[in-house]
Structure formats: C-alpha cells, structure tokens
C-alpha cells in the first residue's frame, strides 16, 4: 500500500486510516528513495528506522500525504479534487507535472 501511494502525485487519506512501512523492521524498504523524496531525510529515517505507522492527521503534518478527509468522506474528497483538476487543460497538467518534477530532480 505505502509503496504504491508514494508513487502518486497526490495522496489523500482518511484521518483515521494508517500508513507506514512496518516491514522495514524485518527486510528493509525497496522504495526508500520515494520516502526521502516525499518526506525529506529526517522524517524518512524516522519512519523507516522505526517501522512507525501514523494516522492521516500525522501523515499530513509530516508531508506524507497531500490532504486528509474525515472518516467516511474519502470518496467525496477525491471526487472534489478530480473535478477541480478536470478544469485544467490536459496539456497544462502534463507541463506542470513535468516542470515540477524537473525542479526537484
């Protein structure tokens, strides 16, 4: 779950859901670079060296997710975001994503 989420451009989760990488306690993490990219080195180390699991509120606070929805309202929050994104021309979405990715590489 978290490996797939880290590869997304925008992550929305319910405030009561949890996310982390507990297997880091046993066999390491194949997506370490994505944790660092999303969280920065300090928070990535905290998550991966402890195997901590955090709820949606803390995930938002540390930058792991983009937005948090109240329990039971995730679908509505995703639909609202999609509707907003659909108002942007596709070529602009592609350009903005490419330029943002280039800026951080």
């Amino acid at each position: 779950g978290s490996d797939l989420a880290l590869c997304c451009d925008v992550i929305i989760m319910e405030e009561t859901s949890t996310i982390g990488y507990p297997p880091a306690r046993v066999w390491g993490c194949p997506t370490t670079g994505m944790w660092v990219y999303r969280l920065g080195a300090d928070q990535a180390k905290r998550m991966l060296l402890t195997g901590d699991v955090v709820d949606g509120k803390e995930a938002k606070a540390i930058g792991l997710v983009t937005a948090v929805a109240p329990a039971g309202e995730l679908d509505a929050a995703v639909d609202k975001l999609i509707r907003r994104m659909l108002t942007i021309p596709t070529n602009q979405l592609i350009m903005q994503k490419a330029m943002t990715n280039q800026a951080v590489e």
Side-chain angles (χ1 to χ4, degrees):
S2 61
D3 289 349
L4 181 60
L6 289 169
C7 295
C8 295
D9 293 318
V10 177
I11 303 172
I12 303 174
M13 69 183 280
E14 286 190 357
E15 61 190 4
T16 56
S17 296
T18 58
I19 189 169
Y21 200 81
R25 297 177 181 178
V26 180
W27 62 72
C29 179
T31 57
T32 298
M34 293 304 294
W35 285 90
V36 175
Y37 177 81
R38 174 124 356 225
L39 295 175
D42 289 343
Q43 287 296 339
K45 286 179 185 177
R46 175 221 162 177
M47 296 296 292
L48 297 175
L49 296 178
T50 64
D52 281 354
V53 174
V54 297
D55 65 16
K57 288 181 181 179
E58 185 172 356
K60 171 70 171 128
I62 64 174
L64 183 54
V65 300
T66 310
V68 178
E73 297 182 27
L74 180 61
D75 288 344
V78 171
D79 287 344
K80 182 178 178 181
L81 176 65
I82 290 169
R83 283 192 303 276
R84 287 178 51 211
M85 291 177 72
L86 286 172
T87 66
I88 308 296
T90 303
N91 65 326
Q92 289 302 311
L93 292 172
I94 293 167
M95 176 100 71
Q96 294 298 348
K97 179 177 174 172
M99 292 175 70
T100 302
N101 289 347
Q102 277 186 338
V104 295
E105 289 177 352

